[in-house]
Amino acid sequence: QTPLKNFINMEHELVQLAEAIDWDSVENEFKGYFAELGRPGVPIRRMVGLMLLKSLYNLSDENTVARWVENPYYQYFTGEFVFQTQPPIDPADFSKFRRRIGEEGAEKLLKLSIQLNADECSQETEVMVDTTVQEKNITFPTDVKLTRKIIARCLLMARKENITLRRTYTRELKALNLQTRFMNHPKRKREGQKAKKRLQTIGKALVNDLERKMNSRQRKLYLNDLLLYAKVLTQKRADKQKIYSLHEPEVQCIAKGKEHKQYEFGNKSSIAKTKTGVIVGAMTFKGNPFDGHTLPEQLDQIKRLSDMTVLSAVVDRGYRGRKWIDETKVEIPGNGKRSDSYYQKQKARKKFCRRAGIEPVIGHLKQDHRMQRNYLKGAVGDAINTMLAAAGYNLKHWLNKVIFVL
């Protein structure tokens, strides 16, 4: 067995990061998520370290485990003393650990990353805040796609429960699927619309037939699924709270005014950063709330996670409506007075130009820290992915300072 300290560079960035983190306090904070009885779980430092490495280097669950086996610095960071040749955990343990800690545990990891950069943000009184869309891992939703999936699930449900349907529509479905192919072409639009309507009729017939023929046990087991299918089949174009995905019904359709991508399907996330580039707040919201209504919750999170006294929040015009939130002044472009001097106008202009610096930060969160496409399930998965991405960004910010010093 080869001790890691014998052959790794003790000046490496990950070694210094491991020494900078107070692992005793981390274990004290996370031990409440584990039971004292039964088989011992995976060591807390190992799981937390793997979660941080995953967010820091933009790795999947499987790749994180594979890289750990071949990288001695990853092993040292997670608390190993000798070089290991076997995987530390099964990749499925990541999902179990995320469910165990939930949104609260992810916020603790974000707080840990902020404390590492406390020297930069403790004296700050100004934050820049903006919202973005965290897209969910779903296909682009259309009525035909959703109807096909409902029909397939209903037929599978009937086979699984040995329910004899009045009709399975096997041959007709094959013809209808061909008719809806390229239905946006002008010469096939009328035929496609007719086939789409017929598919919805078949979907409703299958849902009703299943509901009639199910016994009490089956109806209790599949009630939520049948209600979801019925809602999707009856929703109209102008309806609110529409369902865009069967396996992720919380997904919202959000328009951010982008020319290349008019609509994005996911959740709204809010990011807050300091002038020095440290992310001091990251959270998600259900639905599609007005940006101005998300600011009070974001400021509360900043107070929970850092020692900052936020006197000024610099935002874009999407937050218009409120000038003060408690002791925090909300600064929006275009709210200056005509009587302001040239110096005051230039000072405000520089401040709002500095606010635009949060846009590339959001870009790095998406491209480098797994926020581009969210693969975690449900609203809790949205919150966990956003906060872990922010934690990974802060760790990268700290490592860049170490590399610059070296």
Side-chain angles (χ1 to χ4, degrees), residues 88-116:
I89 59 171
D90 189 271
D93 289 338
F94 278 106
S95 299
K96 298 174 184 177
F97 187 71
R98 283 191 291 262
R99 284 196 299 268
R100 186 185 295 269
I101 65 175
E103 188 175 346
E104 180 186 7
E107 195 170 74
K108 289 179 181 179
L109 293 178
L110 176 57
K111 184 177 181 179
L112 169 67
S113 70
I114 296 172
Q115 290 173 345
L116 281 173

Side-chain angles (χ1 to χ4, degrees), residues 20-31:
I21 296 175
D22 186 0
W23 293 107
D24 292 334
S25 64
V26 171
E27 292 192 3
N28 289 331
E29 287 189 354
F30 282 88
K31 69 180 181 180

Side-chain angles (χ1 to χ4, degrees), residues 323-340:
K323 295 184 178 180
W324 289 89
I325 297 176
D326 296 332
E327 73 277 4
T328 304
K329 183 180 180 182
V330 182
E331 301 193 51
I332 303 174
N335 280 3
K337 300 177 182 177
R338 288 189 175 182
S339 58
D340 288 347

Side-chain angles (χ1 to χ4, degrees), residues 322-377:
R322 298 178 67 175
K323 295 184 178 180
W324 289 89
I325 297 176
D326 296 332
E327 73 277 4
T328 304
K329 183 180 180 182
V330 182
E331 301 193 51
I332 303 174
N335 280 3
K337 300 177 182 177
R338 288 189 175 182
S339 58
D340 288 347
S341 64
Y342 177 78
Y343 170 75
Q344 290 173 318
K345 291 179 181 178
Q346 289 298 105
K347 186 177 180 180
R349 181 175 178 273
K350 288 183 179 180
K351 179 182 293 186
F352 294 124
C353 286
R354 188 166 62 243
R355 186 220 67 84
I358 197 172
E359 303 294 348
V361 169
I362 292 174
H364 283 295
L365 285 174
K366 291 190 174 184
Q367 297 294 333
D368 303 334
H369 301 285
R370 299 193 67 77
M371 202 173 153
Q372 179 72 30
R373 199 167 185 85
N374 179 21
Y375 296 90
L376 307 185
K377 186 170 179 60

